[in-house]
Amino acid sequence: MDIGTTIIGAGVVGLAVAARCSQDHKNVFVIEKNEKFGQETSSRNSEVIHAGIYYPPNSLKARLCVEGRQLLYALCEARRIPFRKCGKLIVAINKTEEDFLASIEAKARNNGVEDLQYLSGDQVVRMEPTVRAVSALFSPSTGIIHSHRLMRYFVAQAQRNNVQFVYRCLVERVEPLSGPRYRVHVRYPDGQTEKFTTRYLVNCAGLESDRIAASTGIDVHVHQYEQFFWKGEYFSVVPAPGTINHLIYPVPLPNNEGLGIHATIDMSGRVKLGPNTIFLPQRSYDYTVDAAHRKDFFVAARRYLTGLQLDDLAPDYAGIRPKLQKPGDAVRDFIIQEESAKGMPGLVNLIGIESPGLTASPAIAEHVVRLLP
Ligand SMILES: Cc1cc2nc3c(=O)[nH]c(=O)nc-3n(C[C@H](O)[C@H](O)[C@H](O)COP(=O)(O)OP(=O)(O)OC[C@H]3O[C@@H](n4cnc5c(N)ncnc54)[C@H](O)[C@@H]3O)c2cc1C
């Protein structure tokens, strides 16, 4: 079989790429190892539409987050994908944290996020009676989205453009042939194997995308494509509805490993706390939530959520971030690379697509299409 464009992975990024790419390209296939789309990181996240506040200036994360957020809101409105532009508060609970707010605001402004507003402690209480802060930054353009409905929309759009979805099909390796052409080796759950050729290949395999890249012969150590797994656990807050109306974030950790335990709401009004940030040295798909972490979540969130009780917290779910850095390393950007320079034209690798990958997904798709010949 000879395919035009093959996309590996039916997470939100692969689906966005399929929907967008099939507008211009014919004979597009999506290959997914699970039996349905969106079974991995894309359904194990906070479902926040990020404004683009924290990312390093001129990074892909900053640029694609801001662009993606604008595209997402327009898409949600036009296509009736459930979302809420609920806004978020970044709360400082003491003078030291308050001093950080100015640098956050400056970084955001540099990224094109110009709508952050300073709030006094009294203004915070008026907006959120159960939240304590000496001051805060309010981000009106942060929101939440029903991520499954977004993915369903991308699938429907792709199918309208005749994209073929092949589920339960594991890509074992990719063999570059001469010219823009690749032989893809796949395996089905019954052990049967198959191979096909494709002209263009977009590697959106999330947690496995570095391994797919390695199978083409790219040295992932030399090119720094190696991904590291970082688990993020969530606890739900049980007497939830009505307790908060905005997303509440602490001032982020100085180590760049996460945004700190924050309180989010989802489209059904459920309040949850998280995620924390746990390095998984073995790259294991460990989605367990350790109930013993309840106290840590409580202590972190109680700093700003005054009414919270330890008994309100119940272990919920976990996701895994594919980061390009190990503990202590500097924060890294997304890698979205067309590989002509490595002798593999028409191959686009997407590596390290952690947060804000959901927000950025429609902008990532536009970017990938521009990279394809
Ligand atoms: C805890 C947590 C919180 C987050 N919160 C947010 C947030 O609030 N807002 C935000 O914007 N972003 C957030 N993110 C980031 C966001 O969820 C991800 O960036 C996004 O979901 C990545 O999508 P993806 O399609 O690249 O990966 P995935 O969803 O992992 O999809 C990859 C797909 O590839 C398939 N695959 C892998 N290997 C193979 C193979 N060999 N053969 C065939 N198929 C294969 C997998 O089965 C999977 O379906 C968060 C992430 C985490 C972990």
Side-chain angles (χ1 to χ4, degrees):
M1 187 164 54
D2 200 26
I3 290 175
T5 303
T6 300
I7 296 159
I8 306 174
V12 71
V13 173
L15 298 174
V17 170
R20 175 62 189 85
C21 171
S22 55
Q23 290 173 16
D24 306 339
H25 292 246
K26 291 205 179 355
N27 196 10
V28 178
F29 274 66
V30 175
I31 310 291
E32 166 57 52
K33 66 180 162 72
N34 291 321
E35 61 184 18
K36 293 187 212 135
F37 64 86
Q39 298 295 291
E40 302 210 345
T41 312
S42 298
S43 52
R44 296 177 166 277
N45 56 56
S46 305
E47 299 190 294
V48 172
I49 300 180
H50 287 296
I53 298 172
Y54 309 100
Y55 312 108
N58 304 317
S59 61
L60 281 176
K61 283 183 180 172
R63 189 158 63 76
L64 297 176
C65 183
V66 171
E67 277 174 34
R69 184 238 302 160
Q70 289 161 351
L71 290 169
L72 262 194
Y73 281 130
L75 197 65
C76 288
E77 265 169 25
R79 305 296 174 175
R80 299 197 181 163
I81 298 161
F83 77 105
R84 241 181 86 199
K85 211 176 197 176
C86 52
K88 119 173 171 183
L89 291 166
I90 305 169
V91 294
I93 63 146
N94 55 38
K95 179 79 180 73
T96 318
E97 291 189 1
E98 192 169 36
D99 291 343
F100 274 107
L101 294 182
S103 62
I104 295 172
E105 201 273 338
K107 201 172 212 178
R109 190 173 290 279
N110 205 5
N111 289 345
V113 183
E114 294 180 346
D115 58 356
L116 296 192
Q117 300 158 22
Y118 281 99
L119 301 180
S120 67
D122 287 346
Q123 286 173 309
V124 171
V125 173
R126 276 201 290 279
M127 282 173 80
E128 283 292 355
T130 63
V131 173
R132 180 176 75 96
V134 293
S135 60
L137 281 174
F138 176 54
S139 165
S141 54
T142 300
I144 52 174
I145 185 168
H146 195 306
S147 56
H148 189 78
R149 290 282 293 274
L150 173 68
M151 289 191 275
R152 224 170 68 187
Y153 165 76
F154 286 141
V155 170
Q157 196 62 18
Q159 283 172 335
R160 252 193 296 279
N161 298 336
N162 300 315
V163 174
Q164 302 292 315
F165 285 82
V166 186
Y167 290 108
R168 296 164 172 265
C169 181
L170 174 85
V171 175
E172 290 197 308
R173 67 189 174 92
V174 173
E175 184 189 344
L177 306 174
S178 59
R181 193 161 293 276
Y182 298 87
R183 184 173 291 127
V184 182
H185 298 253
V186 300
R187 185 161 49 84
Y188 297 96
D190 62 4
Q192 207 186 316
T193 58
E194 202 183 347
K195 50 191 182 241
F196 60 86
T197 55
T198 184
R199 194 170 172 78
Y200 305 127
L201 187 70
V202 188
N203 171 12
C204 301
L207 292 161
E208 295 297 322
S209 62
D210 55 341
R211 290 190 168 159
I212 299 278
S215 80
T216 65
I218 292 174
D219 187 326
V220 294
H221 300 289
V222 169
H223 294 285
Q224 299 189 309
Y225 281 13
E226 192 185 1
Q227 298 187 142
F228 302 95
F229 286 19
W230 293 76
K231 180 158 76 165
E233 299 170 315
Y234 292 87
F235 278 70
S236 50
V237 180
V238 180
T243 48
I244 52 170
N245 294 306
H246 306 84
L247 311 180
I248 316 291
Y249 282 59
V251 169
L253 307 169
N255 60 10
N256 285 327
E257 285 174 3
L259 297 178
I261 305 283
H262 41 271
T264 54
I265 29 186
D266 66 18
M267 290 304 300
S268 62
R270 248 165 37 103
V271 177
K272 55 196 189 257
L273 301 176
N276 57 0
T277 315
I278 303 168
F279 178 60
L280 299 176
Q282 307 304 327
R283 265 183 88 122
S284 55
Y285 282 74
D286 171 9
Y287 289 122
T288 54
V289 177
D290 186 345
H293 292 157
R294 190 161 73 135
K295 184 88 187 289
D296 299 340
F297 275 69
F298 171 71
V299 169
R302 180 60 195 254
R303 294 168 77 240
Y304 53 86
L305 281 183
T306 51
L308 194 67
Q309 301 296 322
L310 184 61
D311 287 347
D312 297 344
L313 274 62
D316 203 323
Y317 65 98
I320 300 174
R321 311 163 178 92
K323 284 185 184 285
L324 289 165
Q325 69 262 20
K326 296 198 290 297
D329 293 347
V331 69
R332 296 267 312 276
D333 199 4
F334 292 157
I335 294 174
I336 304 177
Q337 187 68 45
E338 198 277 334
E339 304 289 8
S340 286
K342 299 187 187 75
M344 289 179 255
L347 167 63
V348 181
N349 280 313
L350 290 88
I351 321 276
I353 311 297
E354 52 159 332
S355 194
L358 170 66
T359 309
S361 56
I364 292 176
E366 293 292 337
H367 187 70
V368 167
V369 166
R370 284 193 294 270
L371 294 175
L372 284 172

